[in-house]
Amino acid sequence: MSSATNQTNQLLPLELIDKCIGSKIWVIMKSEKEFTGTLLGFDDYVNMVLEDVTEYENTPEGRKTTHLDQILLNGNNITMLIPGGEGPD
Protein backbone atom coordinates (compact mmCIF):
# COMPACT_ATOMS: atom_id res chain seq x y z
CA MET A 1 0.00 0.00 0.00
CA SER A 2 1.46 3.37 -0.96
CA SER A 3 1.82 6.21 1.53
CA ALA A 4 -0.65 8.31 -0.52
CA THR A 5 -3.32 5.64 0.02
CA ASN A 6 -2.60 5.58 3.77
CA GLN A 7 -3.04 9.34 4.02
CA THR A 8 -6.46 9.34 2.34
CA ASN A 9 -7.79 6.82 4.88
CA GLN A 10 -6.67 8.86 7.90
CA LEU A 11 -8.49 11.80 9.47
CA LEU A 12 -6.74 14.66 11.18
CA PRO A 13 -8.05 15.38 14.70
CA LEU A 14 -9.85 18.60 13.72
CA GLU A 15 -11.45 16.80 10.75
CA LEU A 16 -12.83 14.17 13.11
CA ILE A 17 -14.27 16.84 15.42
CA ASP A 18 -15.76 18.59 12.37
CA LYS A 19 -17.62 15.39 11.47
CA CYS A 20 -19.19 15.47 14.97
CA ILE A 21 -20.91 18.86 14.48
CA GLY A 22 -24.63 18.38 15.01
CA SER A 23 -24.22 15.16 16.98
CA LYS A 24 -23.79 14.20 20.63
CA ILE A 25 -20.35 14.45 22.17
CA TRP A 26 -18.97 13.70 25.64
CA VAL A 27 -16.27 16.12 26.84
CA ILE A 28 -14.02 15.31 29.81
CA MET A 29 -12.32 18.33 31.33
CA LYS A 30 -9.05 18.61 33.30
CA SER A 31 -11.12 19.50 36.37
CA GLU A 32 -13.71 17.25 38.01
CA LYS A 33 -16.27 18.15 35.33
CA GLU A 34 -17.65 16.34 32.30
CA PHE A 35 -20.18 17.54 29.74
CA THR A 36 -22.47 15.88 27.23
CA GLY A 37 -24.33 17.80 24.57
CA THR A 38 -24.76 18.50 20.88
CA LEU A 39 -21.68 20.04 19.27
CA LEU A 40 -22.59 23.30 17.51
CA GLY A 41 -19.09 24.39 16.52
CA PHE A 42 -15.43 24.76 17.43
CA ASP A 43 -12.34 26.72 16.43
CA ASP A 44 -8.67 25.88 15.78
CA TYR A 45 -7.99 25.93 19.55
CA VAL A 46 -10.80 23.39 20.13
CA ASN A 47 -12.87 25.94 22.04
CA MET A 48 -16.33 24.45 21.54
CA VAL A 49 -19.97 25.41 21.81
CA LEU A 50 -22.42 22.74 22.97
CA GLU A 51 -26.21 22.93 23.27
CA ASP A 52 -28.69 20.87 25.29
CA VAL A 53 -25.90 20.25 27.80
CA THR A 54 -25.69 18.08 30.89
CA GLU A 55 -22.82 18.94 33.23
CA TYR A 56 -21.51 16.23 35.55
CA GLU A 57 -19.38 17.32 38.49
CA ASN A 58 -17.75 14.95 40.98
CA THR A 59 -18.04 16.41 44.48
CA PRO A 60 -17.28 14.95 47.93
CA GLU A 61 -21.07 14.51 48.35
CA GLY A 62 -21.33 12.55 45.08
CA ARG A 63 -21.99 13.31 41.41
CA LYS A 64 -23.91 16.52 40.76
CA THR A 65 -25.70 17.07 37.44
CA THR A 66 -26.78 20.40 35.96
CA HIS A 67 -28.71 20.98 32.74
CA LEU A 68 -27.77 23.98 30.55
CA ASP A 69 -29.15 25.31 27.28
CA GLN A 70 -25.73 26.22 25.84
CA ILE A 71 -22.10 26.41 26.96
CA LEU A 72 -18.73 27.55 25.62
CA LEU A 73 -15.84 25.29 26.68
CA ASN A 74 -12.22 26.46 26.64
CA GLY A 75 -10.10 24.06 24.59
CA ASN A 76 -7.13 24.45 26.99
CA ASN A 77 -9.13 22.70 29.70
CA ILE A 78 -10.37 19.75 27.63
CA THR A 79 -8.73 16.39 28.31
CA MET A 80 -10.76 14.04 26.11
CA LEU A 81 -13.55 14.08 23.52
CA ILE A 82 -15.76 11.07 22.95
CA PRO A 83 -17.93 11.34 19.81
CA GLY A 84 -21.40 9.90 20.40
CA GLY A 85 -20.67 9.53 24.10
CA GLU A 86 -23.59 9.48 26.50
CA GLY A 87 -21.61 10.60 29.54
CA PRO A 88 -20.59 8.85 32.74
CA ASP A 89 -22.72 5.98 34.05
Side-chain angles (χ1 to χ4, degrees), residues 1-2 9 23 27 33 35-36 46 48 57-58 60 63 67 80 83 88:
M1 193 181 277
S2 72
N9 293 334
S23 61
V27 182
K33 294 185 179 185
F35 299 89
T36 60
V46 195
M48 32 181 56
E57 183 175 9
N58 294 322
R63 179 170 287 146
H67 297 282
M80 188 181 313

Side-chain angles (χ1 to χ4, degrees), residues 2-89:
S2 72
S3 75
T5 304
N6 282 340
Q7 290 176 353
T8 59
N9 293 334
Q10 295 176 352
L11 283 177
L12 295 173
L14 292 179
E15 291 175 328
L16 179 59
I17 299 169
D18 189 55
K19 288 183 175 288
C20 295
I21 290 178
S23 61
K24 291 285 276 184
I25 192 165
W26 176 14
V27 182
I28 300 174
M29 306 299 284
K30 290 180 182 177
S31 65
E32 294 293 316
K33 294 185 179 185
E34 301 177 24
F35 299 89
T36 60
T38 303
L39 179 62
L40 291 183
F42 69 98
D43 64 11
D44 289 343
Y45 301 101
V46 195
N47 299 313
M48 32 181 56
V49 177
L50 303 178
E51 72 174 355
D52 190 25
V53 179
T54 302
E55 174 185 358
Y56 302 92
E57 183 175 9
N58 294 322
T59 65
E61 296 80 33
R63 179 170 287 146
K64 175 184 160 190
T65 61
T66 307
H67 297 282
L68 306 163
D69 290 333
Q70 211 173 62
I71 193 166
L72 170 66
L73 299 176
N74 184 321
N76 284 333
N77 297 320
I78 294 173
T79 299
M80 188 181 313
L81 301 171
I82 300 119
E86 294 296 323
D89 293 327

